[in-house]
Amino acid sequence: MVNVLSTNKQSWDEAAERFFGRNPLPEYGPMAPCEDELNLFGDVKNLKVLDIGCGSGHSLQYMKEREAAELWGLDLSKKQIELATTLLENSAQPVRLFESPMEVNPGLPYDYYDIVYSIFAIGWTTNLEKTLANINSYLKKGGIFIFSWEHPLYSRIGNKDGVLTFGKSYHEEGSYDHEAWNSTAIMQQFRVSTYINALVDNGFQIERVIEDARWSEEDAQRHEKRWYTYEKAKAIPTTLIVKCRKL
């Protein structure tokens, strides 16, 4: 695990500028429904929020603008934490950021947060069970956990000359080096059922599972010849979104 974390840390330190402000809340992922439509968070005013994989801090900035009481975040990348610190330095709310992998508690309080969320970051974990157990321990009873991640089908299916084909079995799970990255980046591949069952096993009640896609004429041009393409999104969801609650 240490080697994977070290590799991913280096990859994110190198890629941080390239991903600055990309797809933060209210977006959940490329060509996916936005929070403005889904309203999964509801009113966050005066609530304590924690961002798992906070990146450049733009999702926390979204929470700041909606008057969350406290802004907390953690990220594996030192560079990302530096960018988030700069972005949020003039916040009226308390901001506490930690450079840490999500599998480790870097000093976060237990039974404290009203909302924990993770936008397109959960698949970087090296231990899904440990990460979800940590998240459950941070939340108050009845607290909400919301996450989005690349849909498990998306990387398994390729698009060659308009023909969609399976590149590997949906049943295959585990770590893989993501081909869309410029350097080595080790992510985790799980089925939808694996996420759902792991959440249940770690004390969560599932409230919503969303696999919808959204696109526009702008998306057809914006995502041309990229990893997330308009052509594939018409047939396969790019993003899995789950809302659950601590029992």
Side-chain angles (χ1 to χ4, degrees), residues 46-49 112-116 138-140 142-145:
N46 297 325
L47 299 184
K48 301 166 187 171
V49 303
Y112 186 77
Y113 302 96
D114 301 289
I115 298 173
V116 177
Y138 303 148
L139 282 165
K140 297 176 180 177
I144 292 170
F145 173 45

Side-chain angles (χ1 to χ4, degrees), residues 29-195:
M31 290 175 284
C34 291
E35 173 62 9
D36 300 341
E37 174 188 351
L38 297 176
N39 195 32
L40 298 180
F41 285 91
D43 186 4
V44 301
K45 186 175 182 179
N46 297 325
L47 299 184
K48 301 166 187 171
V49 303
L50 169 63
D51 188 336
I52 303 294
C54 64
S56 55
H58 285 79
S59 289
L60 284 169
Q61 184 180 54
Y62 175 86
M63 291 295 177
K64 166 191 167 183
E65 293 167 355
R66 278 143 190 83
E67 302 182 63
E70 296 180 17
L71 309 174
W72 296 65
L74 63 82
D75 198 279
L76 178 65
S77 165
K78 179 180 180 180
K79 181 63 176 178
Q80 292 281 48
I81 291 296
E82 290 173 352
L83 292 172
T85 299
T86 300
L87 183 73
L88 299 166
E89 63 183 353
N90 295 321
S91 174
Q93 299 99 318
V95 179
R96 298 176 178 87
L97 303 176
F98 296 81
E99 180 189 337
S100 173
M102 62 184 77
E103 301 87 346
V104 176
N105 182 347
L108 300 172
Y110 296 115
D111 304 308
Y112 186 77
Y113 302 96
D114 301 289
I115 298 173
V116 177
Y117 65 89
S118 181
I119 306 303
F120 242 69
I122 200 75
W124 289 92
T125 181
T126 60
N127 188 324
L128 181 62
E129 293 284 344
K130 179 59 177 173
T131 295
L132 294 180
N134 285 346
I135 290 169
N136 186 277
S137 72
Y138 303 148
L139 282 165
K140 297 176 180 177
K141 184 176 181 179
I144 292 170
F145 173 45
I146 297 170
F147 78 86
S148 67
W149 180 242
E150 181 179 282
H151 195 282
L153 275 175
Y154 195 84
S155 67
R156 289 168 161 94
I157 297 177
N159 180 11
K160 186 174 182 179
D161 300 325
V163 178
L164 300 180
T165 57
F166 267 93
K168 61 180 177 179
S169 169
Y170 180 70
H171 302 294
E172 182 181 334
E173 296 187 298
S175 60
Y176 69 105
D177 185 359
H178 202 295
E179 64 185 83
W181 276 69
N182 295 336
S183 57
T184 301
I186 308 300
M187 302 183 199
Q188 302 298 316
Q189 187 75 279
F190 300 113
R191 296 176 296 176
V192 172
S193 60
T194 298
Y195 284 113

Side-chain angles (χ1 to χ4, degrees), residues 206-223:
I206 311 297
E207 294 193 353
R208 295 283 301 278
V209 177
I210 298 160
E211 302 175 285
D212 300 339
R214 298 287 185 272
W215 57 77
S216 63
E217 290 294 327
E218 179 186 351
D219 287 319
Q221 298 176 357
R222 178 184 174 194
H223 293 277

